[in-house]
């Protein structure tokens, strides 16, 4: 899959595997055949390799993962060796993107010419891997150890012009890149061999032992739980202590070791999941979309302000509405402060701050929202308040506008029923802080039009969110599951665990925050409000009373300086609270429970299996489309690290039969709610058949 032509003594091989010129088997074969043909042609003096279309190459072909084509000859290493050993100079002409295996291919060329703004990266670490075709050995030889380690460990792209001429690139050229590369190739051909090979370069770093010791310590701390980053450092270190071919062997062994880890499997699950969740089975890819050129947000509080920032960050103007001038001024001031803090950190200029603030139109009038293409309600989580807002929106918004609710638990179908256009209503559940968190739960109502759903999913990408479709139920996917997790956390307290023991156990496996620190951050009064509703709607649903007892003391969390933990002014550190210990001790005594020491492993299993069982019910009910949708919600919205793969993937890894057996054991606990541990029919069925969710 390449175009081959000879131009004034230079063979130009243009990879043609659109749109990203990935290193598929066909592409590898075509490049190798082109190099062989060029070297066999006496009329050819040099070779230029480039990418047809808009990019050089984005790397591996994901459609070939886990297929024979991925490892079929010629492998990428074989192709690179053919470039490196070519008796005629080989020049890579890099534009757009050179990442992963695509960059490794370019590193095997003798020289590289780049266009401004081309993105250069070895992102394999984001899949729990390291570069497997010489990237850890060649890149540091060309850009230096410090830059090489930084790029390989982070996986983040660097623009081509950041590299000084003579390091990775010989030249950065404006204009016709291929023509410039051909001219350079003729020049080096005239000069004659030897040609520059990355493998022949030596590389050193001052105080190497101290440098690598410090780097390993920092990487181990910054990437706790991820095995790939430390392996990346070790592989780069090998290029300073080993002969090149030995370094390649070290790299390959590390790559194969990482491929087999659960962490890499989980991160690949995340990678494919991000693409899978965008597909909605009954909504065709070619569904016509509604244009979203302007937006409105109702409510300028924490959520509303954050939602508005998402739009202006994408260049979409927003009308921001509040009922009172004081609240509006406070909301706009908070947005400005957020942007100014970003500018202070050097991630935005003051001119950009003003440009974004200029896209916000503060208003006290619904009339200023009427012509927006989408309006998102972000008011108090109360159905009566939602009813008032949506009846007003129905009256003022233009025909064809999308009416969205940021509700986190309430019935989107009821909300749609407050309007005469339920087909235009959809749930857009942002997660706090809304301008930071990647997850957007897109709640599809019974009457939501397909084009509204497709448009909202496309909008999620535009504002750099991962949109995941959920059906309508109390709490949708994420919050419905987290309620069961929180219920079980309360039962653990009843039996003798402390909040810090529960949090420490789940955080030790990688969660960003345990249930009690999470409650203090979100506000314990939020959960209290929901439980009060549950006591009326579901009187047979059992909860630990411990959370209510905490709230009755006004301990709502960080915002009140006390929750499950104590807090000091200006300090978000969670300090164990003697007051909470006394409340829990009295509560256990009232229940007649003798507290016991609960092992960390039991804490983790009870919390995780609470999530998994509810997730299985959501799949059965069709609220969640796929298990991976649930996993993506938890990895992008609830602090579950990608190296765990989400609760459903985690359960698959444990074995569903083992999950069910543990649940049955927990049901025998004399203090347990046996109904809590009844396996969902889908979970029981898959376990009995030896199957998995994935």
């Amino acid at each position: 899959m390449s175009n081959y032509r000879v131009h004034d003594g230079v063979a130009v091989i243009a990879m043609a595997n659109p749109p990203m010129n990935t290193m598929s088997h066909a592409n590898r074969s075509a490049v190798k055949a082109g190099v062989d043909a060029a070297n066999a042609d006496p009329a050819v003096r040099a070779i230029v390799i480039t990418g047809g279309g808009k990019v050089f190459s984005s790397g591996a072909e994901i459609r070939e993962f886990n297929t024979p084509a991925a490892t079929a000859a010629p492998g990428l290493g074989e192709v690179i060796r053919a470039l490196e050993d070519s008796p005629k100079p080989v020049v890579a002409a890099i534009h757009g993107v050179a990442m992963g295996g695509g960059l490794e291919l370019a590193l095997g060329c003798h020289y590289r010419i780049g266009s401004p703004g081309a993105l250069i990266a070895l992102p394999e670490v984001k899949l729990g891997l390291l570069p497997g075709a010489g990237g850890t050995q060649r890149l540091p030889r060309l850009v230096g150890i410090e830059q090489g380690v930084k790029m390989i460990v982070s996986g983040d792209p660097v623009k081509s012009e950041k590299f000084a001429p003579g390091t990775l690139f010989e030249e950065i050229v404006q204009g016709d890149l291929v023509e410039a590369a051909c001219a350079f190739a003729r020049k080096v051909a005239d000069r004659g061999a030897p040609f520059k090979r990355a493998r022949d370069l030596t590389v050193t770093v001052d105080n190497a032992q101290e440098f690598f010791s410090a780097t390993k310590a920092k990487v181990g701390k910054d990437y706790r739980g991820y095995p790939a980053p430390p392996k990346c450092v070790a592989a780069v270190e090998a290029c300073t202590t080993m002969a090149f071919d030995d370094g390649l062997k070290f790299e390959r062994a590390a790559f194969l070791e990482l491929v087999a880890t659960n962490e890499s499997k989980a991160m690949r699950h995340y990678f494919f999941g991000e693409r899978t969740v965008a597909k909605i089975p009954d909504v065709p890819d070619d569904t016509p979309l509604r244009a979203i050129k302007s937006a409105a947000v109702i409510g300028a509080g924490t959520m509303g302000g954050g939602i508005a920032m998402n739009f202006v960050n994408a260049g979409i103007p927003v009308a921001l509405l509040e009922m009172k001038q004081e609240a509006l001024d406070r909301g706009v001031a908070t947005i400005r402060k957020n942007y100014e803090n970003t500018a202070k950190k050097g991630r935005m200029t003051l001119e950009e701050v003003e440009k974004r603030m200029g896209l916000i139109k503060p208003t006290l009038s619904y009339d200023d929202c009427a012509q927006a293409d989408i309006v998102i309600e972000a008011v108090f989580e109360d159905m009566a308040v939602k009813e008032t807002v949506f009846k007003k929106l129905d009256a003022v918004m233009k025909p064809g506008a999308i009416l969205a609710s940021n509700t986190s638990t309430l019935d989107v179908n009821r909300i749609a029923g407050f309007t005469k256009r339920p087909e235009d209503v959809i749930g857009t559940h942002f997660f706090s802080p809304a301008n930071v968190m990647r997850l957007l739960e897109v709640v599809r109502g019974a009457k939501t039009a397909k084009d509204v759903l497709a448009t909202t999913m496309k909008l999620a990408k535009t504002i750099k969110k991962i949109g995941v479709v959920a059906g309508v139920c109390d709490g949708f996917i994420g919050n419905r599951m987290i309620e069961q997790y929180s219920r079980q956390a309360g039962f653990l307290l009843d039996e003798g665990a402390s909040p810090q023991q529960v949090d420490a156990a789940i955080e030790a496996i990688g969660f960003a925050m345990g249930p009690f620190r999470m409650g203090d951050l979100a506000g314990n009064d939020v959960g209290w409000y929901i439980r009060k509703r549950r006591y009326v709607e579901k009187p047979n649903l059992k909860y630990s009373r411990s959370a209510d007892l905490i709230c009755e003391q006004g301990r709502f969390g960080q915002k009140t300086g006390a929750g499950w933990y104590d807090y000091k002014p200006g300090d978000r550190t969670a300090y164990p609270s003697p007051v909470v210990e006394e409340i829990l001790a009295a509560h256990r005594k009232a229940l007649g429970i003798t507290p016991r020491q609960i092992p960390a492993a039991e804490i983790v299993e009870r919390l995780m299996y609470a999530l998994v069982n509810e997730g299985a019910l959501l799949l059965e009910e069709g609220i969640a489309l796929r298990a991976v949708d649930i996993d993506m919600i938890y990895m992008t919205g609830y602090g579950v690290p990608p190296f765990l793969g989400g609760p459903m993937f985690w359960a698959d890894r444990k074995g569903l039969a083992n999950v069910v057996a543990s649940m049955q054991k927990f049901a025998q606990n004399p203090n347990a709610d046996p109904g809590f541990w009844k396996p969902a029919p889908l979970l029981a069925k898959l376990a009995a058949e030896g199957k998995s969710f994935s």
Side-chain angles (χ1 to χ4, degrees):
M1 299 175 71
S2 70
N3 297 318
Y4 179 93
R5 63 186 174 88
V6 177
H7 175 60
D8 195 14
V10 178
V12 178
I13 303 170
M15 292 180 283
N17 185 19
M20 301 304 289
N21 294 323
T22 53
M23 291 287 104
S24 65
H25 176 246
N27 197 20
R28 299 193 306 269
S29 299
V31 171
K32 175 70 163 52
V35 172
D36 290 344
N39 281 322
D41 186 348
V44 172
R45 301 168 56 227
I47 304 167
V48 166
I49 297 180
T50 191
K54 296 181 179 180
V55 304
F56 181 79
S57 172
S58 65
E61 173 55 78
I62 62 173
R63 288 171 293 190
E64 292 184 354
F65 277 21
N66 302 317
T67 72
T71 54
L76 183 56
E78 182 182 346
V79 177
I80 291 171
R81 192 58 189 259
L83 302 175
E84 211 166 40
D85 290 346
S86 170
K88 300 175 183 180
V90 184
V91 179
I94 297 174
H95 64 297
V97 165
M99 294 186 178
L103 178 57
E104 288 180 298
L105 182 82
L107 297 175
C109 297
H110 300 126
Y111 308 97
R112 285 150 297 280
I113 303 294
S115 62
L119 297 177
I120 311 302
L122 289 173
E124 288 83 355
V125 71
K126 296 181 186 292
L127 296 179
L129 302 170
L130 52 66
T136 66
Q137 304 305 296
R138 291 186 178 92
L139 184 67
R141 283 175 159 85
L142 290 164
V143 303
I145 292 294
E146 293 188 37
Q147 175 79 336
V149 166
K150 183 178 180 181
M151 289 181 65
I152 294 167
V153 167
S154 72
D156 294 335
V158 178
K159 289 186 177 180
S160 55
E161 56 266 36
K162 298 292 184 182
F163 299 97
T167 55
L168 185 62
F169 291 98
E170 302 300 321
E171 297 175 4
I172 301 294
V173 299
Q174 301 283 351
D176 192 322
L177 176 67
V178 173
E179 186 56 48
C182 288
F184 181 85
R186 294 185 195 99
K187 183 169 66 176
V188 293
D190 289 341
R191 195 165 64 217
F195 307 120
K196 188 165 73 173
R197 303 193 308 174
R199 67 158 48 230
D200 297 330
L201 302 176
T202 57
V203 63
T204 59
V205 62
D206 292 339
N207 303 313
Q209 185 173 351
E210 291 85 348
F211 171 80
F212 281 108
S213 293
T215 301
K216 289 173 184 175
K218 185 176 188 308
V219 166
K221 179 181 178 182
D222 292 348
Y223 296 92
R224 183 172 64 91
Y226 291 86
K231 288 285 186 184
C232 290
V233 177
V236 173
E237 184 178 21
C239 83
T240 69
T241 61
M242 297 180 182
F244 183 83
D245 286 327
D246 290 335
L248 284 183
K249 292 176 183 176
F250 183 95
E251 176 193 85
R252 189 62 185 168
F255 177 87
L256 293 174
E257 181 181 336
L258 289 170
V259 164
T261 63
N262 287 324
E263 290 80 3
S264 178
K265 292 173 184 175
M267 293 176 76
R268 283 176 271 157
H269 177 67
Y270 180 99
F271 177 83
F272 287 110
E274 188 170 347
R275 288 144 184 81
T276 301
V277 296
K279 300 181 184 301
I280 308 165
D282 68 326
V283 179
D285 291 341
D286 60 355
T287 299
L289 304 180
R290 301 190 188 186
I292 303 295
K293 297 180 180 179
S294 62
V297 176
I298 311 301
T302 300
M303 286 303 297
I307 293 169
M309 290 176 70
N310 286 302
F311 285 101
V312 300
N313 290 346
I316 299 172
V318 179
L320 183 61
L321 181 141
E322 261 293 353
M323 294 295 98
K324 295 182 179 180
Q325 188 67 49
E326 181 184 0
L328 184 61
D329 292 344
R330 185 167 56 246
V332 172
T334 298
I335 294 172
R336 176 174 286 280
K337 183 179 178 181
N338 287 338
Y339 281 135
E340 288 176 346
N341 287 339
T342 301
K344 287 177 183 177
K345 295 173 184 176
R347 298 203 297 264
M348 182 185 294
T349 67
L350 291 176
E351 290 76 15
E352 288 173 319
V353 172
E354 296 306 322
K355 181 179 179 181
R356 296 190 191 192
M357 292 303 300
L359 290 172
I360 300 173
K361 180 179 182 178
T363 182
L364 299 174
S365 171
Y366 274 91
D367 291 340
D368 289 328
C369 303
Q371 295 306 308
D373 297 313
I374 183 170
V375 57
I376 298 179
E377 159 275 308
V379 301
F380 188 66
E381 188 75 343
D382 181 90
M383 189 61 84
V385 178
K386 307 285 188 188
E387 180 176 3
T388 299
V389 170
F390 271 83
K391 285 182 175 178
K392 184 67 175 179
L393 293 176
D394 189 37
V396 304
M397 297 304 296
K398 70 179 183 181
I402 294 175
L403 313 185
S405 173
N406 182 52
T407 179
S408 57
T409 59
L410 299 179
D411 187 337
V412 171
N413 290 329
R414 276 193 67 192
I415 292 172
F418 300 141
T419 76
K420 296 181 180 66
R421 38 174 147 176
E423 68 281 359
D424 291 338
V425 177
I426 195 165
T428 50
H429 178 206
F430 288 80
F431 284 70
S432 185
N435 55 305
V436 174
M437 298 297 288
R438 293 193 70 200
L439 176 62
L440 178 62
E441 234 179 352
V442 178
V443 185
R444 182 183 193 176
K447 295 183 179 179
T448 301
K450 290 184 179 181
D451 67 329
V452 168
L453 181 58
T455 299
T456 306
M457 290 295 284
K458 174 64 168 58
L459 177 63
K461 289 185 179 179
T462 301
I463 61 175
K464 298 185 177 179
K465 302 294 183 188
I466 294 178
V468 182
V469 175
V472 175
C473 68
D474 197 332
F476 316 128
I477 296 173
N479 281 345
R480 178 169 148 181
M481 289 172 64
I482 210 71
E483 183 173 8
Q484 305 311 315
Y485 170 89
S486 298
R487 284 179 67 208
Q488 194 55 222
F491 298 149
L492 286 163
L493 296 188
D494 291 350
E495 292 178 41
S498 68
Q500 53 268 29
Q501 287 171 335
V502 174
D503 285 349
I506 200 72
E507 288 167 15
I509 70 167
F511 275 50
M513 201 173 288
F516 299 107
R517 287 211 299 138
M518 181 177 67
D520 277 0
L521 178 63
N524 295 315
D525 52 327
V526 176
W528 195 24
Y529 178 84
I530 293 171
R531 286 193 303 279
K532 288 176 180 177
R533 182 158 57 89
R534 292 283 188 272
Y535 297 150
V536 174
E537 297 171 351
K538 301 180 180 180
N540 295 323
L541 194 62
K542 182 180 176 183
Y543 289 88
S544 165
R545 277 273 299 148
S546 57
D548 292 352
L549 295 172
I550 294 294
C551 289
E552 287 167 7
Q553 298 294 318
R555 300 179 66 95
F556 296 156
Q558 290 186 15
K559 62 187 175 184
T560 58
W564 292 105
Y565 297 90
D566 290 335
Y567 299 90
K568 299 175 182 178
D571 181 2
R572 294 196 174 195
T573 303
Y575 295 96
S577 172
V579 174
V580 170
E581 289 178 13
E582 291 178 8
I583 292 172
L584 293 177
H587 177 52
R588 293 176 192 127
K589 186 176 180 180
L591 292 174
I593 294 176
T594 301
R596 67 181 177 93
Q597 288 293 321
I598 304 178
E602 180 183 336
I603 292 172
V604 169
E605 287 193 348
R606 285 171 63 173
L607 293 179
M608 291 297 285
Y609 295 163
L611 291 173
V612 170
N613 201 43
E614 196 67 20
L617 288 171
L618 287 163
L619 290 169
E620 277 186 281
E621 296 167 18
I623 302 298
L625 293 175
R626 296 156 292 237
V628 70
D629 291 47
I630 295 172
D631 287 336
M632 291 303 296
I633 282 174
Y634 270 81
M635 288 187 284
T636 57
Y638 289 87
V640 176
F643 68 72
L644 284 184
M648 312 310 279
F649 180 88
W650 190 87
D652 283 344
R653 209 176 72 205
K654 292 288 183 182
L656 299 190
N658 294 327
V659 172
V660 169
S662 292
M663 291 173 64
Q664 292 168 341
K665 180 185 70 176
F666 295 146
Q668 302 306 310
N669 181 338
N671 295 309
D673 173 6
F676 188 102
W677 292 117
K678 181 181 179 181
L682 176 63
L683 173 58
K685 179 176 183 292
L686 293 174
E689 296 174 353
K691 295 180 180 179
S692 65
F693 290 117
S694 302

